[in-house]
């Protein structure tokens, strides 16, 4: 849903803990391999039909989303985590579309989606900003 104040994110993790934040299936922690410190989270969940941005009426497509600490940006960690999660999911689920939604202003996320193989579908408004919906077939991530 866009950037959130650091204090709000810290309150959220303090309230639910890492286990609570990742209790949904296909929700992962991205951790530093040297320190085991939290770098971010990644999720492959169903995009609710009630939200805009779908490939077909009724929606519920599998949606890739992630958030990383700013200090981890630009190091390839989101690409590595997304690739691993998408490959694992491609082995478990039948072929289907996966979507990514990000603000049109978020050039880094748009570039990452393109590097992963997602293709632009449409632009729409949500959270007071223009959003891009991009999609890829799950089978394209099989190793």
């Amino acid at each position: 849903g866009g950037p959130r104040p650091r204090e709000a994110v810290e309150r959220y993790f303090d309230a639910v803990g890492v286990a609570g934040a990742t209790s949904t299936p296909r929700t992962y922690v991205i951790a530093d391999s040297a320190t085991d410190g939290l770098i971010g989270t990644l999720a492959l969940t169903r995009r609710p039909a009630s939200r805009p941005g779908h490939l077909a009426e009724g929606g519920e497509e599998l949606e890739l989303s992630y958030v990383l600490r700013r200090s981890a940006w630009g190091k390839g960690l989101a690409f590595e985590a997304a690739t691993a999660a998408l490959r694992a999911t491609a082995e478990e689920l039948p072929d289907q579309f996966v979507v990514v939604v990000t603000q049109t202003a978020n050039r880094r996320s748009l570039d990452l989606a393109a590097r992963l193989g997602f293709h632009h579908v449409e632009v729409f408004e949500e959270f007071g900003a223009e959003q891009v919906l991009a999609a890829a077939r799950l089978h394209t991530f099989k190793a």
Side-chain angles (χ1 to χ4, degrees):
R4 294 189 175 101
R6 179 184 178 112
E7 300 78 31
V9 174
E10 288 173 350
R11 279 194 307 274
Y12 169 75
F13 278 114
D14 287 344
V16 301
V18 171
T22 59
S23 62
T24 304
R26 291 186 181 71
T27 303
Y28 308 93
V29 168
I30 303 170
D32 183 298
S33 61
T35 67
D36 209 27
L38 177 69
I39 293 173
T41 59
L42 180 138
L44 281 160
T45 55
R46 296 285 171 193
R47 184 165 179 82
S50 60
R51 293 184 58 199
H54 292 283
L55 299 174
E57 194 172 322
E60 299 290 324
E61 298 92 349
L62 197 58
E63 180 180 14
L64 171 68
S65 58
Y66 59 89
V67 61
L68 289 119
R69 292 181 185 271
R70 187 176 299 266
S71 61
W73 292 4
K75 298 180 180 177
L77 299 173
F79 180 82
E80 185 179 339
T83 299
L86 288 162
R87 282 183 179 160
T89 302
E91 295 297 328
E92 293 177 29
L93 295 179
D95 187 35
Q96 58 193 278
F97 280 103
V98 180
V99 298
V100 170
V101 176
T102 191
Q103 289 186 11
T104 56
N106 191 340
R107 197 71 241 155
R108 286 180 181 241
S109 284
L110 292 171
D111 291 347
L112 173 60
R115 275 185 61 213
L116 288 166
F118 286 82
H119 301 281
H120 181 273
V121 176
E122 69 174 351
V123 175
F124 61 93
E125 176 113 1
E126 187 180 29
F127 304 116
E130 276 191 341
Q131 309 286 331
V132 172
L133 171 71
R137 296 296 304 222
L138 189 56
H139 78 270
T140 62
F141 298 101
K142 285 191 174 183

